[in-house]
Amino acid sequence: MSDPMRPRASLRTAVVWEVLKEALDRRVKATGREALDVLDTGGGSGNFAVPLAALGHRVTVVDPSPNALFALERRAAEAGVAERVQGVQGDVLGLFDVVERGGYDAVLCHGVLEYVEDPAEGVRNAVDALRPEGALSLLAAGLGGAVLSRALAGHFTEARHALCDPAGRWGAGDPVPHRFTAEQLTELVAGAGATAGSVHGVRVFADLVPGVLVDTEPGALDALLKLEAAAAELPAFHAVATQLHVLGEKRG
């Protein structure tokens, strides 16, 4: 039976997954090792970790939530990859209390920077966990997407507040502490000792389209996925994406 949440999940992750998989394939060729060591900071219940382990990679997930790590363990076992997935309680700011510095071929930092007190330190730690020429996958909330969504909902004052606020917040009730522009994220990557490569806008249209249309209109999901993929690399759409993905490489 198909998972009813799968369409929404694929819209959220398809662009990032394709970029990440290509980066890991390049690392496999460069290192000559089929199995890479991957660190997923804030990886939760394993949305990326379990599929990566299914490709044969060894994945360590660092997350502050015991419940998320328990769900990760169960999910990895159900997928038959438990021996390649390790969960460790911790966070990106205290990363080297729980994992090795410079021990990973790739580090994922998805949905983490929005919630840490010092995003720059978070990126530095993620880069410091990489081996030379290792790949950094950075995914964070985009400022423009929040401004657009508040405006389309009729909350014009909140939209303007988010646009002018240094942290990109639309007000005291905003659950997201930080939002970023593409330029801010690439500067964080460069400042941490990595080279920022491709930038992709994620969920450019998906959060603006009525869910009932995607779920019921024949062919709508596939067409929307193709539209997201086509727009993801275009800088003009980075400014309105809900999330921004930056692929970096640690300098040798």
Side-chain angles (χ1 to χ4, degrees):
M1 181 180 293
S2 62
D3 182 349
M5 296 303 292
R6 181 64 185 173
R8 288 290 167 205
S10 61
L11 282 171
R12 289 193 297 268
T13 63
V15 169
V16 178
W17 176 254
E18 290 303 317
V19 174
L20 178 60
K21 189 174 180 301
E22 289 176 5
L24 293 180
D25 288 344
R26 290 194 295 271
R27 292 307 300 149
V28 165
K29 291 179 180 178
T31 62
R33 290 184 283 109
E34 290 294 328
L36 301 176
D37 295 304
V38 179
L39 175 65
D40 189 354
T41 66
S45 60
N47 288 340
F48 279 87
V50 170
L52 288 173
L55 293 177
H57 302 303
R58 296 177 292 269
V59 188
T60 299
V61 175
V62 174
D63 197 279
S65 169
N67 291 336
L69 294 174
F70 178 77
L72 167 71
E73 183 179 353
R74 184 176 65 245
R75 188 174 188 173
E78 291 172 352
V81 296
E83 73 282 0
R84 292 196 292 275
V85 176
Q86 178 189 15
V88 182
Q89 189 172 3
D91 60 55
V92 73
L93 296 187
L95 193 58
F96 301 116
D97 294 335
V98 294
V99 303
E100 177 187 359
R101 189 183 297 268
Y104 298 91
D105 299 293
V107 172
L108 282 59
C109 188
H110 294 173
V112 172
L113 294 187
E114 298 94 322
Y115 301 100
V116 298
E117 187 174 340
D118 188 344
E121 182 182 353
V123 178
R124 283 195 301 271
N125 285 353
V127 171
D128 286 348
L130 285 167
R131 293 169 178 151
E133 300 180 354
L136 172 68
S137 178
L138 187 64
L139 180 69
L143 169 63
V147 174
L148 184 62
S149 68
R150 301 315 288 175
L152 290 178
H155 303 302
F156 306 122
T157 300
E158 291 180 350
R160 183 169 57 83
H161 191 284
L163 190 61
C164 301
D165 183 63
R169 304 185 77 226
W170 47 256
D174 192 338
V176 179
H178 300 279
R179 291 188 181 86
F180 304 89
T181 64
E183 292 76 17
Q184 288 170 334
L185 289 177
T186 55
E187 286 173 5
L188 287 174
V189 170
T195 301
S198 63
V199 179
H200 290 80
V202 179
R203 290 156 59 194
V204 174
F205 306 103
D207 291 352
L208 305 176
V209 175
V212 65
L213 189 156
V214 177
D215 296 335
T216 61
E217 187 73 20
L221 173 62
D222 185 57
L224 181 54
L225 283 168
K226 290 178 179 177
L227 176 61
E228 289 279 355
E233 291 188 62
L234 300 177
F237 290 100
H238 296 168
V240 294
T242 299
Q243 293 177 304
L244 294 163
H245 182 252
V246 178
L247 186 67
E249 181 178 297
K250 185 174 183 178
R251 298 178 190 126

